Amino acid sequence: MTTGRPLTPEEQQRLARRERTLKNRRGRRNPAVMPDRLARTSAFAPRKVNLITDSNFTRVYEVPGYSVVEVKGRELGSQHRDAIYALFRLKREKVSMPNPDYRPGTFIPPTRTYYETRTSWRELIRVMGRTEHVNNLLSLVHVFQEIQQVSVLIHEGRSLVELDKIKKTRAIGALPDSRGSAAPLITEVTWEGAQLDSSVTVRYGPSVLQMIEKAHLVSDPPPLKCSALRYGF
């Protein structure tokens, strides 16, 4: 309800404060698309030095929902966790394009779909909680390169019985008869320059987004005893 009179300076200040408060609410300006419990996931080692870089490295753990997850390619540490956390906290765009390999009557899909996060070095570094300085750009590129070396293999089960079958099947080196998926965490990183405000584009597939939304990278229960093997199970 308005009175028709102009607002006083004090009333204008109160209105401006209220508008700023509404804009800063979580879910409006910075929606939480990544689970906050990511810091406790077994997918990442709680350190950033002395990580295993052997390409045959495999980390295995269980997640809520009775799934078994294999992180393959190299060991990921806290700096990789922070970069993934920052990436999936930012806005993303779904991109669909015709599939040049499509053939009617085959299982090849007619379109290819992927996701892109378009941001800047400054915003990525800020979300990671690091100092906004150009010296951090090269180290961040190296972190993304190391993440690109890793793929995540998910075996989905719907019961404890299925979970037990999955573990026994993988223990003998066979593929479980269950739903699953395998995908790299990041497929491509491109940038326009080496200034803090230069644009950066990170591309990843829809299966990785599903991993995040279904909390496949979040694990509150302790990992399996074989959770940090160099050469598979």
Side-chain angles (χ1 to χ4, degrees):
M1 183 176 180
T2 59
T3 60
R5 64 176 177 79
L7 296 176
T8 64
E10 292 78 9
E11 290 172 332
Q12 290 177 349
Q13 290 177 359
R14 286 198 297 271
L15 181 61
R17 283 197 300 270
R18 185 173 184 276
E19 290 178 349
R20 287 195 299 269
T21 300
L22 291 175
K23 288 181 179 180
N24 287 328
R25 282 182 178 176
R26 175 175 290 185
R28 291 173 178 260
R29 199 171 188 175
N30 186 26
V33 295
M34 171 68 81
D36 291 334
R37 295 177 297 160
L38 182 64
R40 296 198 298 272
T41 177
S42 294
F44 303 91
R47 63 184 187 281
K48 61 181 181 180
V49 297
N50 299 322
L51 296 171
I52 301 172
T53 59
D54 192 327
S55 61
N56 289 317
F57 172 85
T58 300
R59 181 180 297 277
V60 185
Y61 61 95
E62 298 176 38
V63 294
Y66 308 120
S67 296
V68 175
V69 174
E70 301 176 49
V71 178
K72 305 174 71 70
R74 59 156 293 146
E75 187 175 28
L76 295 176
S78 57
Q79 77 273 31
H80 305 101
R81 176 204 66 206
D82 293 344
I84 290 291
Y85 184 95
L87 174 63
F88 285 95
R89 291 280 299 185
L90 299 173
K91 293 181 179 179
R92 59 181 175 267
E93 178 182 356
K94 183 178 181 180
V95 180
S96 295
M97 59 192 313
N99 187 349
D101 299 324
Y102 170 67
R103 297 293 182 274
T106 68
F107 291 104
I108 301 175
T111 59
R112 288 179 176 176
T113 301
Y114 60 89
Y115 287 87
E116 282 186 347
T117 294
R118 298 183 181 184
T119 181
S120 65
W121 293 120
R122 185 187 302 276
E123 190 170 17
L124 269 173
I125 292 173
R126 180 186 299 135
V127 177
M128 290 177 67
R130 294 187 178 183
T131 303
E132 296 177 25
H133 196 281
V134 292
N135 289 347
N136 285 324
L137 303 192
L138 184 58
S139 62
L140 186 54
V141 170
H142 288 163
V143 167
F144 279 126
Q145 281 184 302
E146 292 170 350
I147 294 173
Q148 285 181 292
Q149 299 172 20
V150 174
S151 65
V152 177
L153 181 64
I154 298 177
H155 310 286
E156 298 185 19
R158 295 187 177 87
S159 67
L160 291 174
V161 174
E162 289 184 8
L163 178 61
D164 187 57
K165 288 182 178 179
I166 290 173
K167 290 188 290 186
K168 289 180 178 179
T169 305
R170 288 300 293 122
I172 62 174
L175 182 67
D177 185 17
S178 62
R179 293 187 59 182
S181 63
L185 291 177
I186 293 175
T187 57
E188 185 179 18
V189 181
T190 58
W191 57 92
E192 297 297 326
Q195 303 300 316
L196 282 173
D197 292 315
S198 298
S199 62
V200 182
T201 301
V202 184
R203 183 179 295 181
Y204 48 94
S207 58
V208 175
L209 182 60
Q210 284 188 337
M211 294 178 197
I212 300 299
E213 292 178 338
K214 293 182 179 180
H216 282 305
L217 295 184
V218 182
S219 179
D220 285 335
L224 298 172
K225 291 182 180 179
C226 56
S227 62
L229 303 182
R230 286 179 181 265
Y231 301 100
F233 283 75

